[in-house]
Amino acid sequence: MFSQYDEHIASQPDETRWDGFDRGDADFQEHQGSRVIGRMTSEGGYKVVITEYWFDGYSNAWSDYEVTIDGARVHSTDDRANAITVASWWMAGCPA
C-alpha cells in the first residue's frame, strides 16, 4: 500500500510536482560575480585591491567597485575610474 508521499510521487513522475516552485536562487550564480581588477602594494607596504562586483541581469546590469587597504574597505562606488583614482591616491601615500 502507498503512503500519501508515494502516491504523490507516483502520480507525477515527470517532475511537474515542482511547477511553480522557486527556490529563489535559480540562475543567480550565472549572472553575477566579482573579480579583482587591481592588486598593488604601495611603498608604505599597504596592500591596495580594487574589486568589481557585477550583475548581468536580463534588463538591469550593474557594476560596483570596492577599494580595500589591507582587507579593510575604504571606498565603494559604481564608477570604475573613481575607484582607480582612489586606489592611486592610496598608492601615492595619500597626499594632501
Side-chain angles (χ1 to χ4, degrees):
M1 180 172 244
F2 283 136
S3 68
Q4 283 185 324
Y5 174 78
D6 292 331
E7 187 176 322
H8 175 68
I9 297 300
S11 71
Q12 297 177 339
D14 62 351
E15 300 291 327
T16 58
R17 65 185 177 280
W18 299 110
D19 285 356
F21 180 74
D22 182 6
R23 293 187 335 187
D25 63 355
D27 71 16
F28 187 62
Q29 296 297 321
E30 275 180 43
H31 303 290
Q32 75 170 7
S34 64
R35 60 185 151 242
V36 173
I37 61 170
R39 180 179 289 133
M40 306 137 295
T41 302
S42 72
E43 290 181 18
Y46 295 114
K47 298 208 183 315
V48 181
V49 178
I50 305 170
T51 306
E52 176 185 16
Y53 297 92
W54 56 272
F55 176 77
D56 188 15
Y58 298 108
S59 61
N60 63 348
W62 56 262
S63 289
D64 280 330
Y65 301 90
E66 177 181 87
V67 179
T68 58
I69 308 300
D70 291 339
R73 181 175 56 170
V74 296
H75 188 66
S76 182
T77 181
D78 62 355
D79 182 11
R80 182 181 177 129
N82 179 259
I84 293 169
T85 299
V86 170
S88 298
W89 180 74
W90 277 91
M91 289 294 296
C94 309

